[in-house]
């Protein structure tokens, strides 16, 4: 229990470190400015939404199967279940990340730009969200990989990686903020790079203890998704150009409806084209949704 708690708390420690650095962000004249802490916190909460929907959901559904196969000593089944879960997370989170990167500003505007939350705050928060989104897929994959170590009774490995991530996060924060002058965006980028590092370390370690994780199939999946992802990015970009320009003043309900419509169309085009490209994991997503809402086939 202890190692799992420590591993989980590393994320909160990194958030606290980021807030400490954000509180020291300065402007061109060297004066500390207000806002970076709030901008980072809001962007991080928005990034947590697809993480919770996809990463945690897939991890929760996969864990019983992974634990059962590990307990039975069925390493082939263990590897297959874990590799399949990683591919599912990849299928779901990469398009979500692209959507967040392109539509960051209108999403934040619709949700937060009211009262004292100004267009400038929207722009700054969107910059942080775009950098957070870079690490979304890796962050979600860690949610799948880390519990698998507990099933193999290797619970100290995720804890060690999490502690290492705190050190890396602090060093990257310092470098991006004080050497490169990236401000709060650099802090968000640091979080994404830490997530990517965590994923790679856990992935390499899991290959050592469990064997091949069907890396070729994962690379093949990403290759099949390139054109569907291009379609999704094109829809998001076109909506940004013709629907969500700052000069276009729409009633609030039209902004909300427009955003929901764009997300729905982009998702339908992405999954539809992925199905046409024979991405098997699309059918698995349907099964996952059915299981999530308690429907029986």
């Amino acid at each position: 229990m202890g190692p799992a708690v420590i591993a989980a708390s590393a994320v909160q420690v990194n958030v606290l470190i980021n807030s400490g650095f954000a509180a020291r962000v300065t402007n061109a004249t060297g004066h500390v400015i207000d806002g970076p802490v709030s901008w980072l916190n809001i962007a991080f909460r928005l990034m947590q939404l697809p993480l919770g929907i996809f990463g945690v959901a897939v991890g929760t559904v996969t864990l019983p199967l992974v634990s059962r196969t590990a307990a039975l000593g069925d390493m082939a089944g263990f590897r297959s279940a874990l590799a399949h879960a990683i591919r599912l997370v990849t299928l779901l989170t990469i398009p979500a990340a692209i959507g967040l990167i392109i539509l960051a500003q209108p999403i934040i505007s619709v949700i937060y730009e009211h009262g004292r939350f100004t267009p400038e705050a929207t722009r700054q928060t969107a910059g942080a969200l775009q950098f957070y989104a870079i690490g979304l897929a890796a962050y979600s994959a860690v949610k799948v990989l880390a519990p698998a170590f507990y099933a193999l009774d290797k619970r100290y490995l995720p804890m060690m990686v999490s502690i290492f991530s705190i050190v890396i996060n602090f060093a990257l924060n310092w470098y991006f903020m004080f050497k490169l002058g990236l401000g709060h965006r650099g802090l968000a980028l640091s979080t994404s790079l830490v997530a990517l590092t965590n994923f790679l370390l856990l992935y390499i370690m899991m290959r050592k203890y469990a064997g091949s994780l069907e890396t070729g199939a994962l690379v093949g999946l990403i290759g099949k998704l390139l054109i569907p992802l291009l379609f999704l990015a094109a829809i998001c970009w076109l909506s940004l150009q013709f629907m969500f320009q700052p000069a276009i003043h729409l009633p609030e309900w039209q902004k909300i409806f427009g955003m929901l419509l764009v997300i729905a169309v982009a998702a339908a085009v992405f999954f539809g084209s992925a199905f046409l490209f024979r991405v098997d994991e699309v059918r698995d997503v349907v099964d996952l949704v059915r299981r999530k809402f308690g429907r029986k086939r």
Side-chain angles (χ1 to χ4, degrees):
M1 187 67 179
V5 172
I6 294 174
S9 65
V11 175
Q12 301 305 320
V13 172
N14 283 334
V15 170
L16 183 62
I17 292 173
N18 287 358
S19 297
F21 275 93
R24 301 178 63 187
V25 173
T26 58
N27 57 20
T29 61
H31 292 90
V32 175
I33 59 176
D34 295 327
V37 175
S38 298
W39 301 336
L40 279 179
N41 288 338
I42 291 171
F44 189 73
R45 284 199 296 269
L46 288 173
M47 195 269 290
Q48 291 283 313
L49 179 60
L51 174 64
I53 294 174
F54 301 134
V56 175
V58 173
T60 301
V61 171
T62 305
L63 183 58
L65 178 58
V66 167
S67 300
R68 184 166 61 251
T69 53
L72 294 173
D74 180 10
M75 293 309 296
F78 175 88
R79 289 193 300 270
S80 177
L82 186 57
H84 182 253
I86 293 173
R87 291 198 299 274
L88 273 183
V89 164
T90 300
L91 171 70
L92 294 169
T93 55
I94 290 182
I98 291 175
L100 286 177
I101 290 171
I102 298 175
L103 298 176
Q105 196 153 329
I107 288 173
I108 294 169
S109 176
V110 166
I111 298 175
Y112 290 102
E113 198 173 304
H114 311 283
R116 297 175 63 185
F117 201 93
T118 64
E120 175 63 14
T122 294
R123 189 179 70 83
Q124 298 288 0
T125 305
L129 179 58
Q130 288 167 333
F131 280 110
Y132 273 135
I134 293 173
L136 176 59
Y139 216 143
S140 300
V142 168
K143 295 293 184 182
V144 174
L145 268 173
F149 283 93
Y150 305 137
L152 292 178
D153 199 25
K154 303 292 182 181
R155 63 194 67 187
Y156 288 98
L157 293 178
M159 181 190 73
M160 292 169 60
V161 170
S162 295
I163 293 174
F164 178 67
S165 75
I166 295 174
V167 178
I168 294 297
N169 185 58
F170 188 93
L172 288 175
N173 280 353
W174 179 84
Y175 181 73
F176 288 148
M177 186 168 158
F178 296 114
K179 291 297 183 180
L180 298 184
L182 296 180
H184 70 290
R185 290 177 175 83
L187 303 179
L189 176 59
S190 171
T191 301
S192 289
L193 293 179
V194 167
L196 289 165
T197 302
N198 282 5
F199 168 70
L200 290 174
L201 289 175
L202 291 175
Y203 192 84
I204 292 169
M205 290 178 181
M206 184 56 73
R207 283 176 57 89
K208 177 181 178 181
Y209 290 104
S212 174
L213 292 176
E214 303 175 10
T215 304
L218 178 61
V219 174
L221 170 65
I222 295 173
K224 288 182 180 180
L225 291 180
L226 289 179
I227 293 180
L229 288 171
L230 183 62
F231 289 157
L232 179 141
I235 292 171
C236 293
W237 184 83
L238 288 172
S239 70
L240 192 63
Q241 299 304 310
F242 296 104
M243 294 177 62
F244 301 118
Q245 284 293 327
I248 301 176
H249 299 287
L250 298 174
E252 195 65 27
W253 70 269
Q254 288 188 15
K255 291 181 181 179
I256 296 172
F257 177 78
M259 181 58 63
L260 294 176
L261 179 63
V262 169
I263 293 173
V265 170
V269 169
F270 171 77
F271 284 108
S273 57
F275 182 82
L276 292 177
F277 279 91
R278 299 183 179 181
V279 177
D280 295 333
E281 286 76 13
V282 173
R283 295 187 183 89
D284 300 327
V285 169
V286 175
D287 293 338
L288 180 66
V289 171
R290 287 175 177 171
R291 221 176 307 172
K292 182 74 175 177
F293 292 96
R295 296 177 184 175
K296 296 183 179 180
R297 299 181 62 181

